[in-house]
Amino acid sequence: MQNNSNISKEILEKLEQDCRISPKNLALMLDKEEGEIKDIIEDLEKERIILGYTAVIDWDKTDKEYVTALIELKVVPQRDGGFDKIAGQIYNYDEVQTVYLMSGGFDIAVILESRTMREVAYFVAEKIAVMEGIVATATHFVLRKYKEKGVIYSEDARADTRINLC
């Protein structure tokens, strides 16, 4: 990203807000040529700065049955791999959406989706807790999503209910 650093940052910011923006529209917004924008995006993808394009979906408004869980893990880092080795074993499971190395009381946070709480419990008990280096787990179930990736889920929640102290 060394070349075109400022324009690359602007492209990334715009795509992060709305990944549907076309190179043509980005070029208009940034006063650049469409071909230049396409080349920069291609470079950003090759460098794995842009890792993917996703939509934020309110699955509660569909008939999809799912549960989201946050699983905290206490870990003893493994020799020749540390936390990265354990994280790599975990993020390869299809149901795992996110894996973070954390500070605080737990070392790794895992966010996963499954069809039922029972499936989450099985996943934790049979796949995660038995892994070498995992010494403790804490599982939390998401009851309701209010905001994710900067997107507010409920129209009712959009009203600013913060207290104005001025």
Side-chain angles (χ1 to χ4, degrees):
M1 191 168 113
Q2 290 108 6
N3 297 341
N4 300 315
S5 181
N6 288 337
I7 190 72
S8 294
K9 286 178 189 170
E10 290 183 66
I11 291 169
L12 291 170
E13 288 169 357
K14 301 257 186 242
L15 288 175
E16 188 175 43
Q17 291 171 3
D18 183 358
C19 66
R20 298 175 304 161
I21 299 174
S22 69
K24 180 179 180 179
N25 286 339
L26 281 168
L28 289 171
M29 290 176 188
L30 302 173
D31 196 28
K32 299 289 179 186
E33 295 294 320
E34 182 178 355
E36 179 184 0
I37 298 295
K38 285 181 180 179
D39 290 344
I40 292 170
I41 290 173
E42 187 177 308
D43 289 344
L44 292 168
E45 291 170 343
K46 283 180 186 172
E47 293 176 41
R48 295 196 38 83
I49 294 170
I50 294 178
L51 299 173
Y53 301 88
T54 63
V56 178
I57 298 169
D58 187 350
W59 288 109
D60 289 341
K61 292 183 178 176
T62 72
D63 61 357
K64 178 181 177 180
E65 296 209 19
Y66 77 101
V67 62
T68 301
L70 169 73
I71 304 162
E72 296 174 307
L73 308 174
K74 282 192 182 193
V75 175
V76 174
Q78 296 180 353
R79 184 180 303 268
D80 300 326
F83 294 110
D84 295 345
K85 186 174 181 181
I86 293 171
Q89 292 172 321
I90 294 168
Y91 66 59
N92 280 310
Y93 288 108
D94 289 338
E95 52 269 69
V96 172
Q97 303 296 309
T98 305
V99 179
Y100 296 122
L101 179 62
M102 304 294 293
S103 64
F106 287 85
D107 303 302
I108 293 179
V110 178
I111 299 172
L112 68 88
E113 282 189 2
S114 199
R115 285 185 317 116
T116 66
M117 288 184 183
R118 175 175 276 149
E119 285 181 3
V120 172
Y122 173 82
F123 179 82
V124 173
E126 299 295 323
K127 296 181 180 178
I128 298 292
V130 296
M131 290 176 63
E132 184 179 339
I134 305 292
V135 294
T137 67
T139 302
H140 312 274
F141 291 97
V142 174
L143 302 178
R144 183 173 181 188
K145 293 181 182 178
Y146 293 101
K147 185 175 184 178
E148 185 174 50
K149 297 188 186 242
V151 178
I152 296 171
Y153 273 69
S154 170
E155 287 297 321
D156 297 338
R158 288 187 176 274
D160 188 354
T161 57
R162 293 176 290 175
I163 298 172
N164 186 353
L165 298 176
C166 297

